[in-house]
C-alpha cells in the first residue's frame, strides 16, 4: 500500500489524463469527424471567428466540419479522398461506416461536452470557445427542428439518405419517447442559454433570439412538472438517469424556485429508488419488476443516490448508495482490478460503464476519505483505460493542441474514445478494444470525465 500523498498524486494524474482524452475525443467527434449531417458550405461563421484569432490552432479551424447532428456509430478511420466523395476536412472519418441513427442523448451530450470545454477555453483559447458554442447551437437547432413528434416531444430519428448529395430524409422513432430525454434537452438548453449570455459570444449571436431558448426551457419544465406520476414509475435505470440529470440542472440553473423544485423531486425519486433495493443491495428493474438490473446499472443507481444525498443531506440516501456498492464490490477481483462474475467467460466493459464506475469511486473517496477508493480508482483506470487502448491512440496524446493536430497528419486513425474493451477471463492478458466508436457513449463518458475533480485532497 503506497502512502496517501503518493496515491493522491497518481490519481490526480489519472484524472488529468481522462480529461485530456475526453477533450481530444470531443473535438474529434464534434468538430472534425463529419459524422453527421453537414451544414451547408456557405456557412462562414467559423471563418469569421477564426479571422479574429491570432492564427493558432489553424489545423483545427481549417478542418472544422460544422455538423447539424451527430450519428450514433462509426468506425473512426480517416477518409481517403477519391473522385466519388467530398472531403470537407483532412480529419474526416470514412462515412461508409456510419450508422445514421441520431439519438437525442448524443445531441445533448455533444452540446454539454462542447459547452464544458468552451468554459474551460474561454481564457486560453477564446476563439475555440466561441466555435464550440456556435457548433452547440447548430446541434440544438436540428434537435428542435427535426427531432420532435407531433406532440412536440424530442425523439430519436434516422437519416435514410444514401449520400451527402441526397435530400435529407428523416424517419422518426415514435416508439422511443423517453422522459429522461426531455429533461436532458432542458439541461442542455440551460447550459446553452448561460453561455450565450456571456460576453465572449454576444457579437456572434445577434441573429439569434435568445428569448426563444428561455421560452423552450419554460415549456419543457411545464411538461415535466405535470408528468411526475410517469417519472416516478420509470424503470430504475431511467429513474437514476433522471435524478443524475436533475442534479446537473441544479448546478446550471439560476432560477431559485426551480432549483428548490429539482431538490424536492430528487428526494422523491430517491425514495422510490430505495424501495427497489433488495436485501443484498441489488437493484430491481422497476416498481413492479423484481428482475435485477444489469450489473453496471447498479452503479448508476448508487451515483443517483449520492446526488440525492448531496442535494438534500438526507443520510439514508448515502447509506443505501453504500449498500448498493457493497453488492457491486462483492464482484471486485483485487488481483485483476476488475468486477467479474464467476460465470463470465469474456468481460466486455463499455466506456460508459467505465465512466460511471470511476465517477462513483471518486465520489466515495470524497465522502469517506478512505484510501482503498484511491487504490481502486488508480487500478481500475490503469486496467480499463491506460493499458486497454480504449482511447484509440496511434500518436502521442499531448495537451499541446497545436502539436497534437499537426501530428494527426501522420496517422490514419483519430484519437477518440472507443465503445468498449473486452477481457478474456481465462487469460486476462488478452485485451481487445472495439473497432467502433459509439458517439453517444463517448460523449456521455467525456462529459462525466470532464466533471471529475482533480484535487481530491
Amino acid at each position: 500500500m503506497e502512502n496517501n500523498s503518493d496515491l493522491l498524486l497518481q490519481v490526480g494524474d489519472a484524472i488529468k489524463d481522462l480529461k485530456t482524452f475526453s477533450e481530444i475525443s470531443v473535438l474529434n467527434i464534434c468538430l472534425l469527424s463529419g459524422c453527421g449531417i453537414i451544414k451547408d458550405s456557405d456557412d462562414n461563421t467559423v471563418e469569421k471567428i477564426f479571422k479574429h484569432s491570432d492564427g493558432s490552432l489553424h489545423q483545427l479551424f481549417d478542418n472544422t466540419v460544422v455538423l447539424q447532428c451527430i450519428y450514433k456509430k462509426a468506425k473512426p478511420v480517416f477518409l481517403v479522398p477519391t473522385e466519388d466523395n467530398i472531403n470537407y476536412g483532412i480529419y474526416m472519418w470514412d462515412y461508409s461506416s456510419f450508422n445514421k441513427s441520431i439519438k437525442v442523448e448524443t445531441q445533448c451530450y455533444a452540446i454539454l461536452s462542447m459547452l464544458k470545454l468552451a468554459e474551460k477555453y474561454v481564457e486560453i483559447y477564446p476563439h475555440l470557445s466561441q466555435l464550440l458554442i456556435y457548433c452547440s447551437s447548430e446541434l440544438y437547432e436540428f434537435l428542435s427542428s427535426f427531432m420532435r413528434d407531433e406532440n412536440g416531444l424530442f425523439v430519436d430519428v434516422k437519416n435514410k439518405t444514401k449520400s451527402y448529395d441526397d435530400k435529407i430524409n428523416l424517419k422518426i422513432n415514435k416508439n422511443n419517447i423517453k422522459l429522461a430525454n426531455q429533461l436532458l434537452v432542458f439541461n442542455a438548453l440551460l447550459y446553452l442559454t448561460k453561455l450565450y449570455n456571456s460576453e465572449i459570444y454576444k457579437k456572434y449571436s445577434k441573429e439569434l433570439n435568445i428569448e426563444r431558448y428561455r421560452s423552450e426551457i419554460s415549456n419543457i419544465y411545464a411538461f415535466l412538472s405535470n408528468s411526475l406520476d410517469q417519472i416516478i414509475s420509470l424503470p430504475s435505470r431511467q429513474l437514476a438517469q433522471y435524478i443524475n440529470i436533475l442534479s446537473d440542472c441544479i448546478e446550471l440553473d439560476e432560477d431559485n424556485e426551480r432549483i428548490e423544485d429539482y431538490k424536492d423531486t430528487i428526494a422523491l425519486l430517491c425514495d422510490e429508488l430505495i424501495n427497489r433495493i433488495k436485501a443484498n443491495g441489488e437493484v430491481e428493474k422497476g416498481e413492479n419488476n423484481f428482475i435485477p438490473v444489469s450489473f453496471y446499472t447498479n452503479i448508476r443507481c448508487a451515483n443517483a443516490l449520492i446526488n440525492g444525498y448531496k442535494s438534500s443531506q438526507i443520510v439514508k440516501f448515502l447509506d443505501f448508495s453504500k449498500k448498493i456498492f457493497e453488492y457491486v464490490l462483492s464482484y471486485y477481483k483485487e488481483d485483476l482490478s476488475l468486477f467479474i462474475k464467476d460465470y463470465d467467460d469474456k468481460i466486455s466493459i463499455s466506456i460508459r460503464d467505465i465512466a460511471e464506475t470511476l465517477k462513483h469511486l471518486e465520489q466515495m473517496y470524497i465522502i469517506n476519505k478512505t484510501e482503498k477508493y484511491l487504490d481502486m480508482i488508480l487500478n481500475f483506470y490503469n486496467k480499463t483505460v491506460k493499458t486497454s487502448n480504449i482511447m484509440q491512440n496511434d500518436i502521442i496524446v499531448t495537451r499541446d493542441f497545436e502539436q497534437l493536430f499537426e501530428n494527426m497528419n501522420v496517422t490514419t486513425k483519430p484519437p477518440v474514445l472507443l465503445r468498449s474493451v473486452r477481457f478474456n477471463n481465462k487469460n486476462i492478458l488478452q485485451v481487445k478494444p472495439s473497432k467502433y466508436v459509439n458517439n453517444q457513449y463517448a460523449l456521455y463518458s467525456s462529459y462525466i470525465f470532464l466533471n471529475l475533480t482533480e484535487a481530491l485532497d
Side-chain angles (χ1 to χ4, degrees):
M1 180 78 71
E2 300 180 62
N3 67 57
N4 195 57
S5 59
D6 286 344
L7 271 174
L8 276 169
L9 287 173
Q10 290 180 63
V11 170
D13 286 341
I15 291 173
K16 287 177 185 176
D17 284 343
L18 287 169
K19 287 176 178 284
T20 300
F21 292 160
S22 299
E23 289 178 46
I24 295 165
S25 190
V26 169
L27 294 174
N28 271 284
I29 292 170
C30 297
L31 300 186
L32 302 175
S33 71
C35 188
I37 296 174
I38 296 175
K39 189 169 171 62
D40 292 341
S41 57
D42 61 357
D43 175 10
N44 60 359
T45 304
V46 176
E47 191 176 320
K48 286 180 183 177
I49 294 172
F50 189 44
K51 186 171 66 176
H52 297 288
S53 75
D54 58 5
S56 64
L57 300 177
H58 66 92
Q59 287 278 49
L60 177 60
F61 275 89
D62 288 349
N63 293 285
T64 290
V65 181
V66 180
L67 296 175
Q68 299 178 68
C69 64
I70 295 178
Y71 293 144
K72 175 185 176 180
K73 180 179 175 182
K75 191 173 184 179
V77 177
F78 291 138
L79 178 68
V80 178
T82 69
E83 293 181 358
D84 298 324
N85 63 44
I86 301 172
N87 192 2
Y88 292 94
I90 62 174
Y91 304 123
M92 277 184 64
W93 300 355
D94 185 350
Y95 55 70
S96 66
S97 69
F98 292 172
N99 177 323
K100 296 182 179 180
S101 297
I102 307 163
K103 301 284 188 178
V104 174
E105 280 195 61
T106 310
Q107 294 288 101
C108 289
Y109 281 112
I111 292 169
L112 291 167
S113 297
M114 284 197 284
L115 295 181
K116 186 71 180 179
L117 291 182
E119 282 198 298
K120 177 178 180 176
Y121 298 154
V122 68
E123 299 294 337
I124 53 174
Y125 300 121
H127 298 93
L128 179 53
S129 180
Q130 293 162 354
L131 175 63
L132 288 163
I133 296 169
Y134 165 67
C135 290
S136 296
S137 69
E138 288 297 322
L139 292 183
Y140 176 70
E141 288 304 309
F142 186 90
L143 187 65
S144 178
S145 300
F146 300 108
M147 299 180 68
R148 294 181 186 265
D149 68 2
E150 61 272 14
N151 298 314
L153 298 178
F154 296 95
V155 293
D156 300 339
V157 301
K158 186 165 187 174
N159 183 11
K160 305 292 286 186
T161 55
K162 300 296 183 183
S163 71
Y164 283 120
D165 297 330
D166 294 340
K167 186 177 180 181
I168 295 173
N169 177 19
L170 299 174
K171 181 180 179 181
I172 291 178
N173 185 351
K174 295 182 180 180
N175 299 320
N176 195 27
I177 298 170
K178 295 180 181 177
L179 289 169
N181 280 353
Q182 316 310 307
L183 180 64
L184 192 55
V185 175
F186 178 85
N187 186 19
L189 263 179
L190 286 177
Y191 210 165
L192 197 55
T193 303
K194 174 185 174 183
L195 292 198
Y196 259 117
N197 284 309
S198 63
E199 288 299 323
I200 192 169
Y201 199 77
K202 280 186 177 177
K203 63 181 176 181
Y204 297 109
S205 60
K206 291 178 181 177
E207 73 280 7
L208 289 173
N209 177 11
I210 304 305
E211 291 303 318
R212 180 172 57 90
Y213 287 178
R214 293 196 180 95
S215 173
E216 186 70 21
I217 286 171
S218 297
N219 291 339
I220 300 172
Y221 178 69
F223 168 76
L224 292 173
S225 296
N226 291 323
S227 304
L228 193 55
D229 288 344
Q230 295 133 282
I231 293 165
I232 208 166
S233 299
L234 287 172
S236 297
R237 183 182 177 280
Q238 292 181 38
L239 192 66
Q241 183 184 15
Y242 202 96
I243 293 167
N244 290 330
I245 299 169
L246 270 182
S247 300
D248 203 16
C249 293
I250 291 174
E251 300 300 318
L252 292 173
D253 207 340
E254 297 177 353
D255 186 306
N256 290 330
E257 187 176 337
R258 281 203 301 253
I259 289 172
E260 290 306 310
D261 186 35
Y262 303 153
K263 291 179 178 180
D264 291 342
T265 304
I266 287 172
L268 184 66
L269 300 183
C270 284
D271 271 328
E272 173 58 30
L273 197 54
I274 284 173
N275 291 334
R276 303 179 187 184
I277 300 173
K278 298 181 351 183
N280 68 347
E282 195 174 21
V283 181
E284 297 168 347
K285 279 194 173 182
E287 59 180 351
N288 295 309
N289 186 342
F290 310 119
I291 298 171
V293 296
S294 64
F295 185 76
Y296 283 95
T297 296
N298 286 288
I299 297 178
R300 177 175 282 199
C301 292
N303 281 333
L305 289 172
I306 284 183
N307 282 328
Y309 165 71
K310 287 164 67 177
S311 69
S312 68
Q313 296 301 302
I314 297 175
V315 176
K316 71 174 179 178
F317 296 158
L318 180 59
D319 291 340
F320 276 95
S321 177
K322 290 178 179 178
K323 183 173 183 178
I324 295 172
F325 199 60
E326 283 300 316
Y327 162 76
V328 171
L329 276 177
S330 68
Y331 292 98
Y332 185 68
K333 302 295 187 281
E334 195 166 342
D335 57 330
L336 302 175
S337 304
L338 292 171
F339 298 90
I340 301 174
K341 290 187 174 182
D342 293 335
Y343 53 81
D344 287 341
D345 214 15
K346 292 181 179 179
I347 307 103
S348 180
I349 309 176
S350 73
I351 187 62
R352 182 177 65 179
D353 295 338
I354 291 168
E356 287 283 359
T357 303
L358 288 169
K359 173 185 175 182
H360 188 73
L361 290 171
E362 183 205 55
Q363 291 300 311
M364 292 299 285
Y365 175 75
I366 290 171
I367 291 168
N368 297 289
K369 299 296 181 186
T370 304
E371 195 169 274
K372 74 171 182 178
Y373 292 116
L374 291 178
D375 270 319
M376 291 182 71
I377 291 171
L378 188 61
N379 293 333
F380 187 75
Y381 160 77
N382 285 334
K383 178 68 72 173
T384 60
V385 180
K386 187 174 182 179
T387 63
S388 73
N389 292 322
I390 199 168
M391 176 67 177
Q392 179 169 270
N393 188 8
D394 285 1
I395 59 172
I396 296 174
V397 173
T398 171
R399 293 186 177 101
D400 181 340
F401 278 2
E402 289 184 69
Q403 181 183 345
L404 172 75
F405 289 110
E406 286 175 5
N407 289 346
M408 278 169 58
N409 283 320
V410 302
T411 182
T412 59
K413 296 180 180 180
V416 65
L417 290 168
L418 298 172
R419 184 194 184 280
S420 58
V421 60
R422 176 176 289 181
F423 300 89
N424 189 318
N425 197 9
K426 294 178 180 177
N427 181 358
I428 206 68
L429 295 178
Q430 291 183 358
V431 183
K432 187 178 181 181
S434 58
K435 295 180 180 179
Y436 282 81
V437 59
N438 181 312
N439 288 324
Q440 177 183 332
Y441 284 20
L443 293 166
Y444 174 80
S445 303
S446 294
Y447 189 59
I448 287 180
F449 291 146
L450 290 169
N451 281 287
L452 293 178
T453 305
E454 288 180 32
L456 294 180
D457 54 345

